[in-house]
Each structure stands twice: as C-alpha cells, then as structure tokens.
Amino acid sequence: YNYTFKIQTPSMTTIRHKDGIKLHTKLEGTAPAGSYVKWTASNSNFKTEEINNGNSYKIISDKNGTTTFTATLYSAEGEVLATDTIEMKSKAGFFDKLGGFFRSLFGTTKIYAE
C-alpha cells in the first residue's frame, strides 16, 4: 500500500472559549481496506466529538490550556498504520469565559468548518 496520512493544518490553532473548529485527516493514496481513524486528546481542555466516520474531529474550547490531538490510522485488524498530531490552544481563562457567556447569549459562538 502506498499512502500518506496527516491532519490537515487548520488556519487557526487558538480557539476562544465556547468556539470550536473541525479538524480533518487527509489520506493520500490507497490504505488497506477496512482501515479506520481514531482520535485522542492529551487532556480535557476541549469538548470533542468524532464525525464523518472518524475522519473529522469537532473540538470546542472548554478549559484553558494547550492540548495535543492525535489521529491514528488503524488497519481492519487494529494494527497502527500511521499517526499524526497537532497542538491546539484553548483560551478559556476568566475573561475568555465571560466573553464566551455573552457570545452564547447573542448567538455569536462559532464552530469553524476548516
């Protein structure tokens, strides 16, 4: 099999409290049939949800700090074929949370669809 696997680099790596972004994996070439992607996060600074059969990962800023996200490509048998990581920063300090509260009141929180 000839393929490359990576997380597409988003246009932003710092997310305001209650805002979010969708991270995506990119597979170029042909991977084994039945392969799948699983995501992990180094901590709980972001609320997370796998979407698009695991090929995308929605993250929403929840706690202040930096998180490393890892996308792992597995074979149908569960063997690790490839991994990639990206660091994202959650801006959720006191004033960021206060701003997030007012943005949620007025419906201006965003999930950026990279």
Side-chain angles (χ1 to χ4, degrees):
Y1 296 98
N2 184 18
Y3 59 88
T4 58
F5 174 79
K6 63 182 177 178
I7 298 171
Q8 289 181 310
T9 305
S11 61
M12 60 180 58
T13 57
T14 300
I15 309 297
R16 297 184 309 180
H17 182 65
K18 298 283 185 197
D19 283 356
I21 195 167
K22 292 178 185 173
L23 301 174
H24 305 283
T25 59
K26 185 173 185 179
L27 178 65
E28 293 178 353
T30 305
S35 58
Y36 60 95
V37 176
K38 283 290 188 185
W39 292 82
T40 57
S42 62
N43 55 43
S44 61
N45 292 339
F46 290 84
K47 293 180 182 178
T48 61
E49 176 187 353
E50 282 192 17
I51 51 178
N52 193 24
N53 294 324
N55 293 318
S56 299
Y57 202 47
K58 181 169 73 171
I59 62 173
I60 298 172
S61 173
D62 193 43
K63 298 176 187 167
N64 204 40
T66 301
T67 301
T68 300
F69 292 98
T70 303
T72 304
L73 179 66
Y74 290 94
S75 70
E77 295 78 29
E79 177 187 348
V80 174
L81 301 175
T83 62
D84 195 16
T85 61
I86 189 168
E87 252 187 23
M88 301 294 289
K89 183 175 181 180
S90 174
K91 286 188 67 174
F94 174 77
F95 291 108
D96 299 304
K97 287 182 177 182
L98 186 61
F101 170 76
F102 285 107
R103 284 193 319 279
S104 66
L105 279 179
F106 298 107
T108 59
T109 56
K110 297 179 181 177
I111 304 296
Y112 298 93
E114 290 283 323

